[in-house]
Amino acid sequence: MSKESDLLDLIDMSNFAKPENALKRAEELINVGQKQDALQTLHGLFTSRRHRAWQKPLERSMFKYIELCVDLRRGRFAKDGLIQYRIICQQVNVSSLEEVIKHFMHLSTERAEQARSQAQALEEALDVEDLEADKRPEDLMLSYVSGEKGKDRSDRELVTPWFKFLWETYRTVLEILRNNSKLEALYAMTAHRAFQFCKQYKRTTEFRRLCEIIRNHLANLNKYRDQRDRPDLSAPESLQLYLDTRFEQLKVATELELWQEAFRSVEDIHGLMFMVKKTPKASLMVVYYAKLTEIFWISASHLYHAYAWFRLFLLQKSFNKNLSQKDLQLIASSVVLAALSVMPYDRIHSGSHSDLENEKERNLKMANLIGFNLESKLESREVLSRSSLLSELVAKGVMSCVIQEVKDLYHLLEHDFFPLDLASKVQPLLTKIAKFGGKLSSASSVPEVQLSQYVPALEKLTTLRLLQQVSQVYQAMMIESLSRMIPFFDFSVVERISVDAVKNKFLAAKVDHMKGIVTFDNTGLESEILRDHLTILAQTLNKARAMIYPPSRNASKLGELLPSLAETVDKEHKRVLARKSIIEKRKEEEERKLLEKERLEESKRIELQKITEEAERKRLAFEFEERKNERIRREIEERDLAEAQALLQEASQRIKWKGKKTGIEGEKLTKQSVMELTLTEQLRERQEMEKKLQKLAKTMDYLERAKREEAAPLVEAAYQQRLVEERALHEHEQQQEIELSKQRHDKEVKEKERLARIKNNKEIFQERVVSRRQDEFTRLRREREEQIAQILMSRRQEREKMRKMKFYLSLEEERQKKLREEEEAQKREEAERQRKEQAERQAKLDEIAEKQRQRERELEEKERLRREALLGRPTEGPLKPSQPPTSPRPLDTGSAAVPAPAAAAAAAAPSSGKFVPRFRRGSESSGQAPPPESDRWGSRQDDRMTQAGDRWRSDDRRSSGGSSFGGGGGSRSTWSSSRIPTRGSER
């Protein structure tokens, strides 16, 4: 059965060349439940490389093929088919490919959801026989053996395979669409659906792989910039799709709490913008900074977290027109509290150069990500710090937007000096601040703001400030007193905080647990701290003196200015507001003009780049064509020179120059000059040969005429003697044959009379034997016919089977052969294109050479015909001038042996000895010697006459061994007389 199924697969893949036939065959197989065979049939249709044009039946076949792949979970088959279909539809009908891919993803998602719902229904179903029993025994045994619950097993058996197939579907689609500029939207949609898949089912591993796949796609896109269908990132639509994909990746990474992947997504966004040198829209930047705040807070990078909040506040305040006062207070309070949560000292790193450089590079990188600066000069950027951030908060007016508790907390921690009761003043403020927070009504992209998250960091900062102020006032303090002053932590926590501060040189303190005291070391009292104390003391004394002795003039002036001060403040406030609105409008107008200008410059740059590339391409093509033509001309000249030299060498071998030099040795050697010289020399040789042949023919004509005149009487005498001898021999042999015939006749008559007596018995025996054999023959023939019928039937079945097998094998061989031919055709195309020009030039040269050879053959044929006309026989070649003809020896009339033709000619000649032509010899000889009379034994008589004539000729030749007609002279004379016409016959 396996061999039959394999054979059916071969038939399906080879026979159904048309899409509609393959689709019909697949539907028939599906109806009988053979989906695997149907999938093989359609797979052979798409991988046969016969269809390179889009058509509607092919699209229907592709939809059916995708459905079968999803039903059977064959991801590899689906990928192969989609790749082949992409090749077909890439330049013709991209929308068809888009519909097929959407259908593929829809089916995969639907089947995965069905499997999940089926697993849930299976888990929730009541499938126990005994309602009082909790579990069946087999379920208990299976749970103990496998160590997993029923839901886990159902998920592994039903849900996991479909989820694997769905994940493979997303990967396949992304791989197919990664470099297709016409399907960028579909690529982005697939990436979004893959992100949602990972988010919905908490697939963290697959999410990391997905991010890496998309990252590699973008890297390859920038690496191979010369691809034909490569997406253009400089186009606004393409850039927006890629940005949306990265921001979706960032959102899902934060929701899955994959903070490392989220930070890499932030780097991807910044790198993408760095490539195109453009800043995203404000709505996207809000999401960008909102996610940065979460990432930096999780990583305990409070300084970068505060800067991200500050950039987020500026964006919301500038671009969000629907921002309410309450939301603005919450965001501003978060910014201030985030800045206050930063430790007031910098971390001290090791003194190695590599660590310092790494820290510097890290700070610059973070400043680049937070500030979103797309410039490449890193040295010009300002290093981030807590003091500069607080200064910017005050300068940008953030303090005016925060709630009162945050403002009071800022002044207590940064400006006021209360070493003994600082914690008691801060604690109620922190309690109130922890109650503020919630979701923002007008800023949907910003996560929920909760100020309570900063309370632990602020408590730590309060502890540090208290220790700092105490160290400036006291040299030693009891541990119990210090613990009461800090209600937030136990002394063990305070000790750890103080140790970290001492390590980073923020404090100078020692803890003595044996004595129960904390010792502070005021090493900086002589310099900065002393100067601050004196300044504060001077300011306080000045205020006290002003209060004790108030100046009168100042009071009177102040009283005069108080009525108009409120009006002046209102006017200034309105003027400032108006100026602010004007400045905002001007800034918006300038930004719009700047964007428009950048867009125009970008379009001009792209157009100029296209024109430059087109000109460069034309120039390179022209130079390549010139080099190609020059190379072809040079090759033609070299080939012509080589052919001319070869022709000259061949001509020198065939033609004897007779010691003369060629006339083109000093000139430029060309094929035409060599051919002209060769033709001239051949014509001269032919003329010389014709003159020699004419002279030879004349000499041979005279010799042949003389020989015939001398041989005529001898031939006639020999002929008459032979006639007499053959007549006597014929009569004797005829008489003997008559007597033998009579004897045979008498003997046969007697034999007939003897056999006539048994004729009746013979007929009876013959009838009996014939009848018996007829019956046996009839029986054997009937059995033979039955046997033959069976053999024919079996052979017919065997032939039918073998015919089908050969037909199927021939179809498969033909398909394999076509596949090989198509693969070889691609290899031959390049060689064919290179040989094409050479073949055309070679054809012209061959045509010229063929005409030359044809002309030479015609001249040789004419020469041969002329020689045959002169010599009267076919000639193998011209006679060489160095070989003169052999002259015959003189005739001896007394003892010459005359050949048979010569004897016949002599018999036909008259007795006077004159020459008689051939046409007269027959008539005269026929009148003198009539042929003998023939009878029924004429053939035997002719044979005996022939034998007698042969004996006569042999005796005649023996008797004439010493004559002049023997040997070569006689044979040559006979040949010449029969082949060469004489002057008398010509006349």
Side-chain angles (χ1 to χ4, degrees):
M1 292 301 292
S2 61
K3 294 183 179 179
E4 293 179 359
S5 62
D6 295 340
L7 186 59
L8 287 175
D9 294 342
L10 294 177
I11 295 171
D12 289 340
M13 289 188 286
S14 59
N15 286 347
F16 300 104
K18 293 184 178 181
E20 51 269 21
N21 295 341
L23 181 60
K24 183 178 179 181
R25 176 62 176 166
E27 291 177 349
E28 292 174 355
L29 292 172
I30 292 171
N31 292 332
V32 297
Q34 298 181 2
K35 292 185 178 182
Q36 180 67 33
D37 296 337
L39 180 61
Q40 290 286 348
T41 301
L42 295 178
H43 186 264
L45 172 69
F46 287 105
T47 57
S48 61
R49 302 192 179 188
R50 297 180 180 177
H51 306 283
R52 286 294 175 264
W54 179 87
Q55 46 185 330
K56 198 65 177 177
L58 195 65
E59 182 181 7
R60 293 197 297 269
S61 302
M62 190 64 200
F63 273 101
K64 181 60 70 176
Y65 178 75
I66 290 298
E67 292 175 1
L68 289 173
C69 290
V70 174
D71 289 341
L72 300 175
R73 292 202 299 266
R74 297 298 177 89
R76 183 179 60 84
F77 279 72
K79 185 176 182 179
D80 295 343
L82 286 174
I83 290 174
Q84 296 297 328
Y85 196 67
R86 180 189 63 181
I87 297 173
I88 297 172
C89 301
Q90 181 69 30
Q91 304 297 332
V92 181
N93 192 355
V94 184
S95 60
S96 177
L97 177 62
E98 183 177 0
E99 293 298 327
V100 168
I101 290 177
K102 287 182 178 179
H103 184 62
F104 181 36
M105 290 193 297
H106 173 70
L107 287 178
S108 302
T109 307
E110 185 179 1
R111 293 301 174 84
E113 290 294 334
Q114 289 179 0
R116 185 167 177 267
S117 60
Q118 183 179 359
Q120 291 179 355
L122 186 63
E123 181 65 22
E124 295 173 359
L126 187 61
D127 56 352
V128 294
E129 298 178 358
D130 189 2
L131 295 178
E132 296 181 357
D134 294 335
K135 291 185 178 180
R136 294 178 297 177
E138 54 269 24
D139 292 339
L140 291 173
M141 293 177 65
L142 186 61
S143 64
Y144 283 117
V145 172
S146 61
E148 58 185 6
K149 298 180 180 179
K151 184 177 184 303
D152 298 334
R153 288 195 298 272
S154 62
D155 289 344
R156 180 168 52 84
E157 294 173 0
L158 298 176
V159 182
T160 303
W162 280 110
F163 274 21
K164 287 183 178 179
F165 181 76
L166 180 58
W167 167 245
E168 189 176 357
T169 299
Y170 289 135
R171 291 193 60 174
T172 300
V173 174
L174 290 174
E175 184 68 23
I176 291 174
L177 302 178
R178 62 189 177 92
N179 288 333
N180 198 324
S181 60
K182 299 178 181 178
L183 295 176
E184 292 176 341
L186 183 58
Y187 178 85
M189 185 196 74
T190 305
H192 282 250
R193 294 183 65 173
F195 287 141
Q196 294 302 320
F197 165 78
C198 297
K199 173 186 172 182
Q200 182 179 0
Y201 301 110
K202 307 297 182 184
R203 307 305 304 175
T204 57
T205 305
E206 285 76 12
F207 179 78
R208 293 190 184 94
R209 292 174 181 170
L210 179 62
C211 295
E212 193 65 29
I213 289 171
I214 295 177
R215 198 172 291 117
N216 291 334
H217 288 177
L218 182 60
N220 293 331
L221 193 65
N222 295 323
K223 183 177 180 182
Y224 304 104
R225 295 179 178 271
D226 54 347
Q227 293 179 350
R228 182 177 59 182
D229 297 325
R230 173 184 176 273
D232 187 11
L233 293 179
S234 60
E237 296 81 4
S238 302
L239 179 61
Q240 188 61 37
L241 289 174
Y242 275 85
L243 273 179
D244 292 342
T245 303
R246 267 55 183 188
F247 275 102
E248 183 67 21
Q249 174 182 334
L250 177 59
K251 291 178 182 178
V252 175
T254 54
E255 291 176 2
L256 292 176
E257 296 183 356
L258 299 175
W259 305 110
Q260 186 177 3
E261 201 61 43
F263 185 73
R264 295 186 67 185
S265 302
V266 169
E267 290 180 331
D268 292 342
I269 294 172
H270 188 270
L272 182 63
M273 292 298 97
F274 183 78
M275 285 189 295
V276 297
K277 300 295 182 181
K278 289 185 179 179
T279 304
K281 297 179 181 179
S283 58
L284 295 178
M285 293 304 297
V286 169
V287 178
Y288 177 83
Y289 286 115
K291 299 304 178 183
L292 268 183
T293 57
E294 296 184 30
I295 295 170
F296 288 139
W297 182 256
I298 294 296
S299 62
S301 300
H302 294 167
L303 178 62
Y304 304 139
H305 170 77
Y307 266 101
W309 261 116
F310 179 53
R311 296 304 300 267
L312 181 60
F313 170 77
L314 294 179
L315 280 173
Q316 289 288 346
K317 187 177 180 182
S318 300
F319 296 99
N320 194 349
K321 305 300 181 182
N322 299 324
L323 191 65
S324 63
Q325 185 65 28
K326 182 180 178 181
D327 295 340
L328 184 63
Q329 283 185 350
L330 278 177
I331 296 175
S333 301
S334 297
V335 174
V336 175
L337 293 179
L340 292 175
S341 300
V342 181
M343 292 295 102
Y345 52 83
D346 296 330
R347 295 287 179 179
I348 297 178
H349 301 277
S350 62
S352 63
H353 179 72
S354 60
D355 292 342
L356 294 177
E357 288 296 326
N358 291 336
E359 182 64 21
K360 180 180 178 182
E361 183 179 357
R362 179 174 178 272
N363 290 334
L364 291 175
K365 181 179 179 181
M366 293 302 173
N368 194 3
L369 290 177
I370 296 172
F372 214 85
N373 193 349
L374 300 180
E375 297 178 0
S376 58
K377 296 181 180 180
L378 300 176
E379 290 78 12
S380 62
R381 299 174 189 170
E382 184 180 2
V383 180
L384 307 180
S385 64
R386 183 176 186 273
S387 58
S388 61
L389 176 60
L390 292 174
S391 301
E392 288 186 11
L393 293 180
V394 176
K396 297 292 184 179
V398 180
M399 291 298 177
S400 61
C401 300
V402 300
I403 58 178
Q404 186 63 37
E405 289 80 0
V406 174
K407 189 181 297 185
D408 296 340
L409 181 64
Y410 169 74
H411 287 290
L412 282 174
L413 294 177
E414 298 298 324
H415 298 287
D416 294 338
F417 186 79
F418 298 102
L420 298 179
D421 54 353
L422 178 62
S424 60
K425 293 180 179 293
V426 169
Q427 188 175 12
L429 295 177
L430 293 179
T431 304
K432 294 180 181 178
I433 290 173
K435 298 179 181 179
F436 287 93
K439 294 184 179 180
L440 304 183
S441 59
S442 59
S444 58
S445 299
V446 180
E448 181 180 0
V449 177
Q450 293 291 342
L451 301 183
S452 58
Q453 64 177 347
Y454 301 107
V455 172
L458 293 174
E459 290 176 349
K460 184 177 179 180
L461 177 64
T462 304
T463 304
L464 284 173
R465 288 298 185 192
L466 189 145
L467 291 174
Q468 182 186 23
Q469 293 179 9
V470 168
S471 66
Q472 295 175 8
V473 177
Y474 299 99
Q475 290 184 356
M477 179 176 286
M478 298 297 295
I479 293 178
E480 297 179 357
S481 302
L482 187 60
S483 299
R484 287 195 299 268
M485 294 169 57
I486 303 174
F488 311 118
F489 309 110
D490 294 335
F491 185 74
S492 59
V493 179
V494 174
E495 187 176 5
R496 285 197 298 268
I497 294 173
S498 61
V499 168
D500 187 68
V502 170
K503 180 180 178 181
N504 292 279
K505 297 183 180 181
F506 181 73
L507 290 176
K510 296 180 181 179
V511 180
D512 190 350
H513 288 281
M514 295 182 66
K515 297 179 180 180
I517 61 173
V518 178
T519 305
F520 301 102
D521 187 8
N522 295 327
T523 57
L525 186 60
E526 296 90 6
S527 57
E528 296 180 359
I529 301 177
L530 180 60
R531 183 180 60 206
D532 293 340
H533 276 288
L534 293 175
T535 303
I536 294 172
L537 179 59
Q539 292 176 356
T540 305
L541 291 175
N542 193 12
K543 290 179 181 179
R545 181 177 176 279
M547 292 172 64
I548 296 173
Y549 304 104
S552 58
R553 289 184 300 176
N554 292 339
S556 62
K557 289 183 179 180
L558 182 62
E560 295 176 358
L561 294 175
L562 281 177
S564 61
L565 182 60
E567 184 178 358
T568 304
V569 170
D570 293 336
K571 289 181 180 180
E572 288 295 326
H573 182 66
K574 292 179 181 179
R575 186 180 63 81
V576 169
L577 292 179
R579 184 172 178 273
K580 183 178 179 182
S581 62
I582 294 173
I583 291 173
E584 292 292 334
K585 291 181 180 179
R586 287 179 180 176
K587 286 173 61 178
E588 293 177 358
E589 185 67 22
E590 288 295 329
E591 289 179 357
R592 186 184 62 78
K593 290 181 180 180
L594 183 60
L595 290 176
E596 187 67 25
K597 183 179 179 181
E598 289 180 355
R599 191 179 297 108
L600 291 175
E601 290 178 354
E602 184 67 19
S603 61
K604 289 180 181 179
R605 185 185 63 80
I606 293 173
E607 187 68 24
L608 181 61
Q609 184 179 1
K610 289 181 179 179
I611 294 173
T612 305
E613 290 177 354
E614 183 68 21
E616 182 67 17
R617 187 182 62 80
K618 289 182 179 179
R619 184 184 65 80
L620 293 176
F622 178 74
E623 291 180 356
F624 175 76
E625 193 67 25
E626 286 293 327
R627 290 194 299 271
K628 183 179 177 182
N629 294 335
E630 182 64 25
R631 178 177 56 81
I632 291 172
R633 285 196 297 269
R634 187 168 59 254
E635 290 178 356
I636 292 174
E637 291 177 358
E638 293 176 356
R639 191 178 294 109
D640 291 342
L641 181 60
E643 290 177 355
Q645 292 177 354
L647 287 175
L648 182 61
Q649 185 178 2
E650 184 181 358
S652 63
Q653 294 176 358
R654 289 191 290 109
I655 302 173
K656 296 181 179 180
W657 301 102
K658 296 182 179 180
K660 298 186 295 181
K661 294 183 179 180
T662 60
I664 58 174
E665 289 181 356
E667 302 175 1
K668 185 179 180 181
L669 185 63
T670 60
K671 188 167 61 177
Q672 186 66 25
S673 61
V674 173
M675 293 174 63
E676 291 178 358
L677 180 62
T678 306
L679 290 175
T680 304
E681 189 65 24
Q682 288 179 354
L683 182 61
R684 184 184 62 77
E685 288 185 356
R686 288 196 186 96
Q687 291 176 356
E688 292 178 359
M689 186 61 68
E690 288 177 358
K691 291 178 183 180
K692 291 180 181 180
L693 289 174
Q694 288 177 1
K695 185 177 179 180
L696 178 62
K698 188 175 180 180
T699 303
M700 294 181 67
D701 189 10
Y702 282 104
L703 291 174
E704 187 65 27
R705 181 178 177 183
K707 287 190 288 184
R708 290 192 179 189
E709 287 178 355
E710 294 293 333
L714 299 175
V715 172
E716 181 64 24
Y719 178 69
Q720 292 298 333
Q721 184 180 357
R722 182 180 177 186
L723 285 178
V724 175
E725 293 176 357
E726 288 182 352
R727 187 180 294 111
L729 181 62
H730 174 66
E731 290 176 356
H732 176 69
E733 290 180 352
Q734 187 176 8
Q735 187 64 31
Q736 289 180 354
E737 184 67 27
I738 290 171
E739 292 177 359
L740 291 174
S741 298
K742 288 180 180 180
Q743 292 176 5
R744 285 196 300 271
H745 182 264
D746 295 339
K747 186 178 180 179
E748 290 176 355
V749 168
K750 291 179 182 179
E751 184 69 18
K752 180 179 179 183
E753 291 176 355
R754 187 179 68 83
L755 295 175
R757 295 194 300 270
I758 62 174
K759 182 178 180 180
N760 295 330
N761 295 330
K762 188 266 296 184
E763 291 178 354
I764 293 171
F765 178 74
Q766 182 179 359
E767 289 178 358
R768 185 168 62 249
V769 172
V770 168
S771 61
R772 186 175 68 252
R773 291 187 177 179
Q774 182 67 31
D775 296 339
E776 185 178 359
F777 171 75
T778 303
R779 181 180 57 79
L780 293 175
R781 184 176 63 182
R782 185 170 55 254
E783 294 177 356
R784 180 66 176 172
E785 288 177 354
E786 294 176 356
Q787 186 178 4
I788 289 173
Q790 294 178 358
I791 293 173
L792 290 177
M793 179 62 69
S794 63
R795 289 182 178 177
R796 188 180 298 110
Q797 294 176 355
E798 185 67 24
R799 284 198 304 273
E800 185 68 17
K801 184 177 179 180
M802 292 301 296
R803 192 184 304 111
K804 290 182 179 180
M805 182 64 69
K806 290 180 180 179
F807 175 71
Y808 297 153
L809 294 177
S810 65
L811 288 178
E812 177 61 18
E813 291 175 357
E814 182 181 1
R815 186 181 70 84
Q816 296 291 341
K817 182 179 179 182
K818 287 183 179 180
L819 288 176
R820 290 192 298 269
E821 289 176 355
E822 290 177 356
E823 293 175 353
E824 294 174 357
Q826 296 178 356
K827 298 178 181 178
R828 290 196 300 268
E829 284 178 358
E830 183 63 21
E832 186 67 23
R833 183 181 63 79
Q834 295 177 358
R835 292 197 299 266
K836 188 175 181 181
E837 297 178 353
Q838 182 178 0
E840 291 177 357
R841 295 193 297 271
Q842 188 64 30
K844 293 181 181 178
L845 298 176
D846 293 341
E847 184 179 0
I848 295 172
E850 184 63 24
K851 289 182 179 178
Q852 177 64 22
R853 289 193 292 271
Q854 184 68 24
R855 192 180 298 110
E856 293 176 359
R857 285 196 294 270
E858 290 176 358
L859 293 175
E860 291 175 359
E861 184 67 17
K862 290 179 182 179
E863 180 66 17
R864 187 181 63 78
L865 293 176
R866 189 181 63 78
R867 292 174 189 167
E868 290 180 359
L870 291 175
L871 300 177
R873 64 181 178 83
T875 58
E876 293 298 327
L879 292 174
K880 296 182 180 180
S882 61
Q883 297 178 359
T886 306
S887 60
R889 290 177 288 183
L891 298 174
D892 188 359
T893 58
S895 62
V898 183
S911 60
S912 61
K914 295 182 180 180
F915 175 76
V916 180
R918 184 181 294 275
F919 66 88
R920 292 182 180 179
R921 299 173 197 167
S923 61
E924 294 177 0
S925 63
S926 63
Q928 294 177 3
E933 185 178 356
S934 62
D935 57 0
R936 61 178 180 176
W937 298 285
S939 60
R940 299 180 180 180
Q941 293 175 2
D942 294 338
D943 295 337
R944 287 192 293 271
M945 291 174 66
T946 304
Q947 294 173 2
D950 294 337
R951 288 195 299 271
W952 173 82
R953 284 193 294 273
S954 63
D955 296 337
D956 192 9
R957 284 194 294 272
R958 284 195 298 273
S959 64
S960 60
S963 65
S964 61
F965 284 90
S971 62
R972 188 172 184 82
S973 174
T974 304
W975 174 81
S976 301
S977 64
S978 62
R979 296 294 181 182
I980 302 176
T982 61
R983 289 183 181 274
S985 64
E986 290 178 358
R987 289 194 296 269

